[in-house]
Amino acid sequence: MSDPVRLAKHVADLARCSRIEAEQYIKNGWVTVDGHVVEDPAHPVSTEVVALDPAAQLDAIEPATILLHKPVGYDAIKGRKAAAGLVQPGTRWPEDPSGVRLLDRHFHRLTPLVPLDTDASGLMVLTQDRRVWRRLTEDRDEIEQEYVVEVRGQIAPYGLYKLNHGLQFRGRALRPCKVSWQNEFRLRFAIKGVQGGQLRDMCAQVGLEVVAIRRIRIGKVALAKMPVGAWRYLPVGGSF
């Protein structure tokens, strides 16, 4: 039996490339060991079958941004039941149109952004990309979010007008927003700078009880038809 060697050395010999290039191929997910992708250049190999994908490229892999359909009951940013735990290889949406190759490194150091109430469902963002982090942190209050809110009860006179203009939350006047009826049970909110508990409070102020809240859009990125609990990648170059 051969003495184990670092995978990077084996790939360098196999591909007749430098050790640095071999490490890049491995980190980019182009190398398999006995048919399984291995992304650690230090992984020891001896008699295993090591293969380099013929389509392998040395281009740097972009940091990942993941879009999750958060279920009700999960904490978006922090808490004991963190939604980030749902982001696993097996829960990727099979119809993900991004074209991004799934890599183990995409599941490390993901930062959740744009708060969403625990009792709400819908679009959530987790990222490794500092550009996305900066956009959704520094400009968050200027990025429009869209929600579908299921309600019951009888809306107060001029209630729809008040939802669009003139309500307060926690003692402060709210900015105007766009609220309309989607059907007789659901309101659609297009709103900026929304705070935790704000939508429920706004509805209560006009006599409505909230049954369910679902966020369907953040900026230019929509939830689309992705099912609850599934996730997909934001395409490389995509933005909010």
Side-chain angles (χ1 to χ4, degrees):
M1 181 179 292
S2 303
D3 292 333
V5 298
R6 294 177 81 253
L7 181 58
K9 181 181 185 307
H10 189 102
V11 172
D13 294 339
L14 179 70
R16 297 181 179 179
C17 63
S18 70
R19 193 74 60 87
I20 292 176
E21 290 174 329
E23 291 188 357
Q24 191 69 36
Y25 282 134
I26 295 165
K27 291 177 181 179
N28 288 1
W30 295 112
V31 175
T32 58
V33 177
D34 283 345
H36 300 285
V37 174
V38 173
E39 299 173 37
D40 180 8
H43 181 83
V45 293
S46 54
T47 60
E48 297 89 345
V49 177
V50 176
L52 176 65
D53 192 315
Q57 301 175 11
L58 287 170
D59 296 341
I61 296 296
E62 290 283 336
T65 296
I66 283 173
L67 309 172
L68 170 70
H69 189 162
K70 185 187 88 68
V72 170
Y74 283 82
D75 303 306
I77 302 299
K78 58 183 178 180
R80 291 192 297 176
K81 196 174 182 182
L86 298 171
V87 181
Q88 302 172 8
T91 54
R92 183 183 185 181
W93 185 29
E95 298 179 30
D96 180 358
S98 68
V100 177
R101 290 185 306 119
L102 187 148
L103 296 173
D104 180 67
R105 67 160 68 179
H106 291 160
F107 302 96
H108 304 307
R109 295 186 293 277
L110 283 167
T111 301
L113 301 169
V114 193
L116 181 63
D117 291 349
T118 300
D119 57 6
S121 65
L123 183 61
M124 179 179 158
V125 181
L126 305 97
T127 192
Q128 301 170 331
D129 193 329
R130 289 193 61 81
R131 295 164 297 184
V132 173
W133 179 90
R134 189 177 300 111
R135 167 71 171 150
L136 294 182
T137 301
E138 296 178 357
D139 301 334
R140 190 184 79 190
D141 288 349
E142 300 306 317
I143 297 174
E144 187 175 77
Q145 301 178 45
E146 190 170 355
Y147 294 81
V148 172
V149 180
E150 184 176 345
V151 296
R152 60 184 167 216
Q154 185 67 39
I155 193 168
Y158 305 105
L160 188 61
Y161 176 84
K162 291 177 181 178
L163 287 171
N164 280 272
H165 312 275
L167 293 180
Q168 293 190 345
F169 180 63
R170 295 175 181 169
R172 301 183 65 177
L174 293 172
R175 298 163 64 177
C177 59
K178 293 175 281 188
V179 185
S180 60
W181 286 105
Q182 186 181 54
N183 58 37
E184 60 182 317
F185 303 112
R186 291 187 178 92
L187 289 164
R188 186 180 292 261
F189 284 73
I191 188 168
K192 295 179 180 179
V194 65
Q195 304 171 58
Q198 179 180 325
L199 298 182
R200 287 183 179 274
D201 187 80
M202 290 174 69
C203 289
Q205 289 185 56
V206 296
L208 297 173
E209 179 186 356
V210 170
V211 177
I213 299 173
R214 183 163 57 104
R215 181 162 64 193
I216 61 173
R217 179 173 59 84
I218 300 173
K220 296 179 286 186
V221 177
L223 183 63
K225 297 181 180 180
M226 187 167 61
V228 176
W231 63 271
R232 69 180 190 270
Y233 288 105
L234 179 72
V236 175
S239 65
F240 293 88

